[in-house]
Amino acid sequence: MGMVFGKITVETPKYEVIQSSADYEIRKYPPAVAAEVTYDPSQFKGNKDGGFTLLANYIGALGNPQNAKPEKIAMTAPVVTKSPGTESETIAMTAPVVTKGDDKNMVTMQFLLPSMYKSAEEAPKPLDERVVIKEEGERKYGVVKFGGVATDKVVEEKVEILKKSLERDGYKVTGQHLLGRYNPPWTIPAFRTNEVMLPVE
């Protein structure tokens, strides 16, 4: 019942707040291990969240874990997605590249694995080759939190405002935005927690 009202009961990533303002937070995240899948939504009948099932199968959220051990892996939040944006993408030397390739339709969805996994080698090997295990280095983001449904239009507006606020305050945005969604789809929209994140230096 708690999840319907937005209670987050799973592990979330640890981070250090470097700066906090009325408009955003600057956060530093430590290294982490992630499972991710990059896909064209047309592979899932146009569903931009189609990769969720592949990742959920890998960790065993929808039945038997689809990994080589097989080992059930705890769900974490948020589910992170990176969609093609209108802004140009520059890749910072210190920022991880979340999406590779030039295809403007591709979406990358990522589950951060529980903090007990310290390296990609420690994580169980996926049986589905579309699921990739990768290590994320230390990262720094400008972040804004919001409730409701994270529609493309809402996310676009939040990203634009965040980008302007960061640049106004002297931060350099070094890549495309990420969307973090903390709640399952059955959570009442008013109780949902979402974040847009822009990598900064």
Side-chain angles (χ1 to χ4, degrees):
M1 186 72 171
M3 288 194 299
V4 172
F5 293 105
K7 185 172 172 125
I8 300 166
T9 59
V10 297
E11 182 181 335
T12 58
K14 306 291 180 253
Y15 57 84
E16 175 188 347
V17 176
I18 296 172
Q19 180 191 336
S20 188
S21 76
D23 300 327
Y24 59 84
E25 283 184 343
I26 300 295
R27 298 179 185 168
K28 185 167 75 173
Y29 288 84
V33 178
E36 73 176 32
V37 61
T38 299
Y39 54 94
D40 185 322
S42 66
Q43 296 171 285
F44 300 98
K45 300 179 182 165
N47 181 0
K48 283 178 72 175
D49 291 331
F52 183 89
T53 303
L54 300 178
L55 294 170
N57 283 336
Y58 165 69
I59 67 170
L62 303 176
N64 292 328
Q66 299 299 302
N67 61 62
K69 287 207 174 169
E71 176 177 289
K72 199 164 179 71
I73 301 168
M75 183 73 189
T76 63
V79 173
V80 177
T81 50
K82 182 175 183 180
S83 303
T86 52
E87 72 269 19
S88 63
E89 181 176 6
T90 56
I91 302 169
M93 296 299 277
T94 57
V97 181
V98 178
T99 303
K100 295 184 175 124
D102 300 318
D103 193 333
K104 295 292 182 211
N105 295 323
M106 301 304 272
V107 173
T108 297
M109 181 173 283
Q110 187 180 75
F111 284 8
L112 290 175
L113 298 184
S115 57
M116 64 183 267
Y117 298 105
K118 302 296 184 204
S119 69
E121 292 77 36
E122 290 179 21
K125 184 176 174 5
L127 296 179
D128 188 325
E129 74 232 4
R130 294 173 291 181
V131 177
V132 176
I133 305 302
K134 64 180 282 191
E135 294 176 16
E136 295 279 14
E138 186 175 86
R139 318 107 23 250
K140 190 161 81 169
Y141 293 107
V143 181
V144 67
K145 188 179 285 199
F146 62 101
V149 178
T151 63
D152 289 347
K153 185 176 188 301
V154 169
V155 170
E156 206 174 288
E157 289 168 1
K158 299 287 183 190
V159 168
E160 195 54 42
I161 292 167
L162 176 59
K163 188 174 184 188
K164 284 180 180 163
S165 298
L166 290 166
E167 288 172 346
R168 172 197 70 208
D169 294 345
Y171 287 99
K172 182 180 178 194
V173 175
T174 59
Q176 286 182 278
H177 76 274
L178 303 177
L179 169 64
R181 291 174 288 177
Y182 284 79
N183 310 102
W186 55 82
T187 301
I188 297 169
F191 295 105
R192 292 184 189 179
T193 300
N194 308 296
E195 292 176 338
V196 290
M197 309 168 73
L198 281 169
V200 293
E201 56 178 46

